Amino acid sequence: MYFKLSLRNVKRSIKDYLIYFLTLTFGVCLFYIFNALEAQQVMLEMTASQMEIIQMLSDVMSVVSVFVSVILCFLVIYANNFLIKRRKKELGIYLTLGMQKKTVSKLLLIEALIIDFFALVCGLVVGTFLSQALSILTAQLFEVNLKAFTFIFSSDAALKTMFYFVIIFIFVVCFNTYTITKYELIDLLHADRKNETLKALKFAISLLLFLLSMSSLLVAYYLAFKNGLTNFNIEFLIAIFLGVMGTYLFYVSISNLLIKLIGNCKGLYYKNLNLFILKQVSSKLNSHHISMTLICLMLFLTLGILSTGLSLSKSFTKDLERLTPFDATFSRLDTTDAPPLSTSLKASGFPLDELTESYMDFNLYESPFHYSDFFTEDIMLRYGENFYNFREDTAIHAIKLSDFNQLRMFCNEVPLSLQAHEYVVTSSDMNLWPSIQSILKTQPTLTRRTIELVPKFDTPIDLSYETNFFSSNMLTLILPDHLLEHAPISRQHLNLNYKGDKATTEIAFKESFDVLFKTSDEFFIPPITKIESYESSFGLSTIVTYIGIYLGFVFLIASAAILALQQLSEATDHTKRYELLRKIGVSKSELNRSLFTQIAIYFFAPLSLALIHASVGIAIANDVVKHFGQSNIAVSTLYTCLFLLLVYGTYFLATYFGSKHVITQKK
């Protein structure tokens, strides 16, 4: 009996359950997709180290899923609260007819079980199909080949998803039971007759708060630009505080300002249902300024996380070919009375000649010139906040001309010639290139005691003197050999290229070094290899990308769902207002247009300010992205905006049609 009644209620209220169902389905789908990553190895041709990265990614996703489950639990309870609010009068009638509160709770439990079951099934089905597509994305990020296509269903991911789902369901049941228990019958029967009481601010106070909001945001933007994202200091915290406070004050003050400003435009104010629309929107903004602030900040995080996350992943991999010119590089920092690295390795029993086709030693010296000898004071101050070399004005590294020419020949490039009074600037850091070029255009003379040098070229040479997955050559001078004969050695390097098949030799190379590391009395820093750099970079980019997509999607769903539920609740509370408009002759099309405009404004209100926040945040984050390599953040931002419009638009349309059903439903 109870099951049939619950099933009938679900069928009758299917449009009311739409947002609730969508949120649950999206949540289940996300859970399954990002917890099924480990199962994708079956389809991918991966090395052992790449499989380890996938395992690490799977572990990271499991941790992130705990955080996501908390957000989704809050969302589901919030959505469920709307459903109970929508049906207060119906529940009151059940109690009037003699049902006990525990029986009503049982009805709600069965209804939730029906909806949750279908959401779970739909989420798992959609998630299973989308996870196949994610395998293709994983293959592209790791730059590996797909094996013959295998349709994968991860039972572990499904069980983990159901486990979290059951926990959320238990919380919903407890919430429903508590809610029904605390309500009095009179409150349920007359819920639609309660009027909201709003305390509107005076125009002068609203204007003052609005100006304070704009001032706070401008100062926050200034501090954020000045400080950047790499310095977590007091200015960074002040920027966050002012940004949050400015956002909150904006939504506190904006509704009264809108009424005053539009009210002065009589032609617009009294046109069609604009007066009604403005009062409705103003009422909603006054009621929900705290949630508006949170939604705006979540949308800002969505745009920022997805845009910078995708760009950062591309930056990790884009410059790798340029930054890894050799198959492997050994380095040594303690160079006191040390022979060349190749000599030390051979003496310790490392099979260098058997594993390599070619190799070369060279030294990196501390030149007699410091950073302040080359860069202007304003550039020193600008980069000094983030870079030790600029802040401490360290000696500029230098390479002998003979070693540099050996490097060029090692890379099949033409040697370079220098006069005794000339120098050449090299750098692999593309972010520093504009500053270096601007200095070289002025033909700066480097002077130290009796030494006076002029630049040979007016542009730097792109030089990666070692294999590394990031740009390690910030600034290095090429100097005539005689100037560095007695200069202190900063680091020793040994670059080498493998014999035969690179992947096979890489395995033997690592095994040989492991033996050397355990048996040699001399300490050697583990070498950096090209294959290792690629795999590490692809792995890091994949983790960054997936965490960005996961959290960005969750924040987006949370924002859109809260907005949708608030609008549906408002529509439920204000049905009598729409009935009154119908009675005085307002057409159905005018009512629908009024409702559409209200919902559009309400959805756009947090998004508009979030877009401004995001434009500032992305511009600042772009400086961080550039440190890892060159990447066009505009492309990833465009994809993020399209993705946001798709999901946000889906919730907007679902909200509009759901609200239209509420206000047109016959009582």
Side-chain angles (χ1 to χ4, degrees):
M1 173 183 167
Y2 293 136
F3 180 80
K4 287 183 179 180
L5 180 58
S6 297
L7 186 60
R8 184 184 64 82
N9 287 341
V10 170
K11 290 179 179 178
R12 183 171 55 84
S13 306
I14 190 65
K15 291 186 178 180
D16 295 333
Y17 276 109
L18 182 58
I19 297 297
Y20 180 76
F21 178 80
L22 273 177
T23 303
L24 279 176
T25 303
F26 275 138
V28 171
C29 181
L30 278 177
F31 259 103
Y32 178 83
I33 289 174
F34 288 99
N35 285 284
L37 290 171
E38 191 176 355
Q40 295 175 7
Q41 298 179 37
V42 177
M43 292 174 59
L44 306 176
E45 295 178 354
M46 287 186 157
T47 63
S49 59
Q50 288 172 330
M51 289 182 180
E52 289 178 3
I53 292 172
I54 287 289
Q55 180 60 52
M56 181 174 66
L57 176 61
S58 180
D59 294 339
V60 170
M61 289 297 106
S62 296
V63 174
V64 175
S65 292
V66 176
F67 170 70
V68 170
S69 67
V70 175
I71 296 178
L72 290 177
C73 185
F74 162 77
L75 273 182
V76 172
I77 290 176
Y78 194 88
N80 196 70
N81 184 50
F82 156 72
L83 293 173
I84 292 179
K85 184 177 181 180
R86 172 93 170 93
R87 299 172 61 193
K88 276 184 179 180
K89 192 168 185 178
E90 176 190 341
L91 300 178
I93 293 173
Y94 286 152
L95 294 177
T96 304
L97 293 174
M99 272 193 185
Q100 295 182 348
K101 286 185 176 181
K102 65 178 182 180
T103 305
V104 174
S105 297
K106 187 184 294 184
L107 276 176
L108 293 176
L109 168 62
I110 297 172
E111 289 179 24
L113 192 59
I114 294 170
I115 291 293
D116 290 7
F117 173 76
F118 282 105
L120 177 62
V121 172
C122 290
L124 287 176
V125 170
V126 175
T128 301
F129 281 99
L130 289 180
S131 66
Q132 316 305 313
L134 200 67
S135 299
I136 299 174
L137 176 61
T138 305
Q140 290 179 341
L141 290 171
F142 276 95
E143 292 195 358
V144 297
N145 296 322
L146 282 169
K147 299 177 184 177
F149 179 78
T150 305
F151 191 84
I152 299 170
F153 177 76
S154 173
S155 56
D156 289 341
L159 288 173
K160 189 182 295 185
T161 302
M162 286 188 280
F163 171 74
Y164 281 111
F165 192 79
V166 168
I167 292 177
I168 292 174
F169 179 76
I170 291 172
F171 274 103
V172 170
V173 171
C174 293
F175 173 80
N176 284 348
T177 303
Y178 169 75
T179 303
I180 296 300
T181 303
K182 75 172 185 176
Y183 278 132
E184 297 296 334
L185 179 59
I186 190 69
D187 295 326
L188 294 172
L189 291 174
H190 298 287
D192 58 341
R193 298 184 183 179
K194 288 189 175 181
N195 293 320
E196 56 184 348
T197 56
L198 295 175
K199 295 180 180 179
L201 297 173
K202 293 182 179 179
F203 176 74
I205 296 176
S206 295
L207 181 60
L208 179 64
L209 291 178
F210 179 77
L211 294 175
L212 184 60
S213 164
M214 293 296 101
S215 301
S216 299
L217 291 176
L218 289 174
V219 173
Y221 294 158
Y222 168 76
L223 291 176
F225 271 114
K226 178 186 174 185
N227 193 71
L229 293 179
T230 55
N231 293 324
F232 294 96
N233 51 26
I234 188 65
E235 284 190 354
F236 184 80
L237 296 176
I238 291 174
I240 293 176
F241 173 76
L242 290 177
V244 174
M245 186 183 74
T247 303
Y248 173 74
L249 292 178
F250 175 81
Y251 290 111
V252 168
S253 60
I254 192 64
S255 61
N256 290 331
L257 290 178
L258 284 175
I259 290 178
K260 184 68 175 179
L261 292 174
I262 298 178
N264 290 332
C265 304
K266 303 300 182 183
L268 178 64
Y269 188 63
Y270 292 110
K271 184 178 180 181
N272 299 327
L273 291 178
N274 287 353
L275 189 154
F276 174 72
I277 293 171
L278 185 61
K279 291 291 185 180
Q280 287 284 96
V281 171
S282 176
S283 170
K284 293 170 185 178
L285 290 176
N286 274 329
S287 303
H288 303 301
H289 48 262
I290 295 178
S291 61
M292 276 288 180
T293 302
L294 293 175
I295 291 167
C296 175
L297 295 176
M298 283 196 292
L299 288 173
F300 160 61
L301 288 175
T302 298
L303 289 164
I305 290 173
L306 286 176
S307 298
T308 56
L310 293 173
S311 293
L312 197 59
S313 70
K314 293 178 181 178
S315 297
F316 283 137
T317 58
K318 192 170 184 180
D319 288 339
L320 272 180
E321 186 63 33
R322 184 175 62 86
L323 299 175
T324 56
F326 316 105
D327 288 339
T329 296
F330 280 97
S331 300
R332 178 157 58 191
L333 300 178
D334 184 10
T335 60
T336 307
D337 300 325
L341 262 169
S342 60
T343 304
S344 299
L345 287 167
K346 290 179 182 179
S348 299
F350 186 79
L352 189 63
D353 293 322
E354 289 81 356
L355 295 172
T356 62
E357 182 180 82
S358 57
Y359 60 86
M360 71 156 291
D361 292 281
F362 77 95
N363 296 327
L364 205 59
Y365 297 90
E366 292 184 11
S367 76
F369 309 107
H370 288 247
Y371 273 72
S372 59
D373 295 326
F374 181 78
F375 290 105
T376 58
E377 185 177 352
D378 64 313
I379 293 177
M380 291 291 291
L381 290 172
R382 188 196 318 161
Y383 289 104
E385 295 181 358
N386 299 322
F387 298 105
Y388 174 83
N389 298 33
F390 286 89
R391 186 168 57 252
E392 299 299 324
D393 191 20
T394 61
I396 302 175
H397 286 149
I399 299 177
K400 287 182 178 180
L401 176 63
S402 58
D403 287 342
F404 175 71
N405 282 332
Q406 283 188 53
L407 274 171
R408 289 178 72 86
M409 289 187 288
F410 196 72
C411 298
N412 298 316
E413 296 178 359
V414 180
L416 180 73
S417 62
L418 280 180
Q419 300 295 325
H421 64 284
E422 291 180 327
Y423 71 91
V424 171
V425 176
T426 72
S427 175
S428 62
D429 190 341
M430 294 296 106
N431 300 302
L432 200 58
W433 266 55
S435 297
I436 296 174
Q437 285 181 312
S438 67
I439 297 293
L440 288 175
K441 295 293 183 184
T442 65
Q443 291 291 303
T445 300
L446 295 179
T447 305
R448 182 68 64 186
R449 298 191 182 93
T450 60
I451 304 173
E452 189 170 299
L453 303 176
V454 295
K456 182 178 180 68
F457 306 114
D458 62 358
T459 187
I461 292 177
D462 182 11
L463 173 66
S464 297
Y465 51 69
E466 64 176 347
T467 281
N468 213 323
F469 64 87
F470 65 91
S471 176
S472 56
N473 178 15
M474 182 178 291
L475 181 70
T476 303
L477 301 177
I478 308 301
L479 300 177
D481 287 18
H482 70 277
L483 294 179
L484 297 175
E485 287 297 333
H486 303 291
I489 298 174
S490 175
R491 290 202 304 270
Q492 288 183 328
H493 290 278
L494 171 64
N495 293 322
L496 53 90
N497 289 323
Y498 296 146
K499 277 183 180 177
D501 180 69
K502 304 292 186 183
T504 304
T505 308
E506 169 94 356
I507 296 172
F509 182 83
K510 287 188 174 182
E511 289 175 350
S512 298
F513 181 78
D514 289 340
V515 173
L516 173 71
F517 193 80
K518 294 175 183 177
T519 59
S520 176
D521 294 331
E522 185 176 355
F523 174 74
F524 292 96
I525 298 174
I528 299 175
T529 71
K530 176 182 281 193
I531 294 176
E532 188 178 59
S533 296
Y534 270 82
E535 290 179 351
S536 298
S537 185
F538 292 148
L540 185 58
S541 69
T542 303
I543 291 173
V544 169
T545 300
Y546 282 175
I547 290 177
I549 294 173
Y550 200 7
L551 291 181
F553 205 103
V554 168
F555 284 136
L556 179 56
I557 290 174
S559 303
I562 291 172
L563 282 172
L565 293 167
Q566 286 178 346
Q567 283 297 289
L568 288 169
S569 295
E570 294 283 346
T572 302
D573 292 341
H574 299 159
T575 50
K576 290 188 179 298
R577 298 181 184 181
Y578 290 97
E579 286 179 24
L580 184 60
L581 287 173
R582 272 195 294 269
K583 288 177 180 179
I584 62 175
V586 177
S587 65
K588 183 179 179 180
S589 61
E590 279 293 322
L591 284 177
N592 291 340
R593 190 180 299 116
S594 164
L595 182 66
F596 185 89
T597 304
Q598 290 175 51
I599 296 174
I601 294 173
Y602 197 72
F603 268 71
F604 182 72
L607 180 60
S608 58
L609 189 56
L611 287 171
I612 298 173
H613 289 346
S615 63
V616 174
I618 290 172
I620 298 168
N622 195 34
D623 292 334
V624 178
V625 172
K626 286 180 179 179
H627 291 317
F628 295 94
Q630 297 298 299
S631 181
N632 187 2
I633 201 169
V635 176
S636 60
T637 302
L638 176 62
Y639 286 143
T640 299
C641 289
L642 292 175
F643 172 72
L644 183 144
L645 288 175
L646 176 64
V647 177
Y648 208 64
T650 300
Y651 269 95
F652 168 75
L653 292 175
T655 305
Y656 169 67
F657 289 116
S659 298
K660 189 167 73 168
H661 169 71
V662 170
I663 68 169
T664 58
Q665 194 174 31
K666 300 294 182 182
K667 298 292 180 182

